[in-house]
């Protein structure tokens, strides 16, 4: 059962919203304490629904439970304020560990591949298994949270309906994890700014090895496995959404139950990336299966 908190209580537990953990497309997140339990309090921005619709959506989100989904503990709906209270994830968001901006130790290949599998399992549950099928439309490293042991959990699922978002591509996140760079990186030479365009070029020239994150020697020593992971990303990024794998198929590929060795990366090209968005804009009706 979700707990309904007063705005005053959440302001108190976050010390006046003073300990900011981060900003996201849906609002700011603050660290709080409820008794001896640490929590993350998200103060939503841009929520345009009335209280009745908000409560109905929160009830749906709160009924979903999976080991690879961040758990919703409670909420607040007072006047124009809309807040959500989540379990606290000690390692923060994945972007802090793959973009090399926070002086964190680089993640080894074993950890990265496990994180990718965790993300796939969380999305598979949302898209194919839970009673309320939810298409997560804002998948990006900022919305993947890590616990003490670097187990990954998907956050912000269901919020696209509250905030009106319509973006997603699991293959983009996968490529960011294995390459250690952003999808759109303006610090790169002009021809390399867009990761997915670069992926297309390297696949055509059979030079996928060039995209492996070179910050970690361990990544290079596992280059064959990393390249197979890139081929899986390409499969997820095909032009024709009908040909993209379902998340359950992605999990089988990650666990070795099916092979992607035979995938022709020259005939299966990823979609053209759009520099104005985080990832390729897709219609919500197309997102219940693939990704």
């Amino acid at each position: 059962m979700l707990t309904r908190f007063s705005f005053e209580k959440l302001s108190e537990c976050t010390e006046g919203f003073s300990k900011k953990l981060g900003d996201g497309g849906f609002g700011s997140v603050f660290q709080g304490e409820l008794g001896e339990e640490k929590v993350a309090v998200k103060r939503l921005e841009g929520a345009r629904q009335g209280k009745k619709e908000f409560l109905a959506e929160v009830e749906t989100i709160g009924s979903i439970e999976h080991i690879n989904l961040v758990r919703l503990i409670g909420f607040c709906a007072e006047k124009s304020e809309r807040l959500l209270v989540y379990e606290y994830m000690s390692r923060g968001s994945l972007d802090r560990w793959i973009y090399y901006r926070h002086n964190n130790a680089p993640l080894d290949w074993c950890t990265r591949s496990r994180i990718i599998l965790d993300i796939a399992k969380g999305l598979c549950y949302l898209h194919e298994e839970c009673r309320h099928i939810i298409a997560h439309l804002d998948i990006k490293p900022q919305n993947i949270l890590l616990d003490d042991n670097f187990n990954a959990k998907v956050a912000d699922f269901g919020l696209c309906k509250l905030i009106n978002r319509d973006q997603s591509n699991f293959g983009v996140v996968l490529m960011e994890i294995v390459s250690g760079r952003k999808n759109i990186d303006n610090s790169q030479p002009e021809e390399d700014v867009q990761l997915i365009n670069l992926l297309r070029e390297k696949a055509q020239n059979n030079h996928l090895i060039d995209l492996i994150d070179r910050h970690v020697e361990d990544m290079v020593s596992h280059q064959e496995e990393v390249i197979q992971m890139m081929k899986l990303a390409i499969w997820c990024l095909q032009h024709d959404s009908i040909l993209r794998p379902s998340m359950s198929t992605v999990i089988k590929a990650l666990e070795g139950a099916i092979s992607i060795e035979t995938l022709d990366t020259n005939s299966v090209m990823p979609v053209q990336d759009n520099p104005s968005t985080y990832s390729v804009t897709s219609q919500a009706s197309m997102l219940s299966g693939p990704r």
Side-chain angles (χ1 to χ4, degrees), residues 117-278:
L117 180 59
D118 285 346
I119 297 169
K121 287 180 175 179
L123 292 179
C124 183
Y125 181 79
L126 287 175
H127 292 181
E128 303 175 27
E129 299 172 13
C130 73
R131 186 162 51 93
H132 301 281
I133 301 300
I134 291 180
H136 195 308
L137 305 177
D138 200 36
I139 286 295
K140 55 188 177 184
Q142 291 88 337
N143 287 339
I144 307 300
L145 304 183
L146 306 172
D147 69 10
D148 278 339
N149 299 313
F150 290 97
N151 296 305
K153 297 189 180 189
V154 177
D156 281 0
F157 54 90
L159 295 191
C160 53
K161 191 170 180 180
L162 295 177
I163 312 294
N164 296 332
R165 280 293 187 90
D166 63 351
Q167 299 173 25
S168 177
N169 251 303
F170 173 71
V172 175
V173 175
L174 197 160
M175 281 304 305
E176 290 188 318
I177 293 173
V178 300
S179 65
R181 55 155 287 179
K182 289 185 176 182
N183 178 33
I184 306 297
D185 187 351
N186 291 312
S187 69
Q188 299 288 336
E190 184 177 352
E191 65 274 14
D192 296 343
V193 166
Q194 297 182 44
L195 177 57
I196 303 309
N197 288 348
L198 192 58
L199 172 63
R200 181 189 299 105
E201 175 195 327
K202 297 299 183 182
Q204 288 173 332
N205 297 326
N206 200 28
H207 285 161
L208 288 176
I209 192 173
D210 295 345
L211 295 178
I212 295 176
D213 187 346
R214 299 287 170 174
H215 289 85
V216 189
E217 186 177 327
D218 175 67
M219 293 287 288
V220 180
S221 65
H222 289 88
Q223 65 184 35
E224 291 304 318
E225 295 173 46
V226 180
I227 288 173
Q228 292 308 307
M229 194 72 82
M230 291 187 195
K231 290 183 178 180
L232 178 58
I234 291 172
W235 192 11
C236 293
L237 289 166
Q238 291 182 80
H239 286 284
D240 188 347
S241 62
I242 301 301
L243 298 177
R244 298 174 194 166
S246 66
M247 288 310 307
S248 53
T249 300
V250 168
I251 290 172
K252 289 178 182 177
L254 291 172
E255 293 180 333
I258 61 174
S259 174
I260 55 174
E261 286 276 352
T262 57
L263 182 65
D264 183 353
T265 54
N266 287 308
S267 63
V268 182
M269 283 291 100
V271 292
Q272 175 76 24
D273 198 28
N274 183 346
S276 66
T277 61
Y278 172 80

Side-chain angles (χ1 to χ4, degrees), residues 19-23 29-32 39-41 88-89 93 96:
K19 298 180 180 178
K20 183 180 284 191
L21 295 174
D23 292 298
V29 184
F30 303 89
Q31 182 177 323
V39 294
V41 179
Y88 178 77
M89 300 290 286
S93 54
R96 295 170 177 264

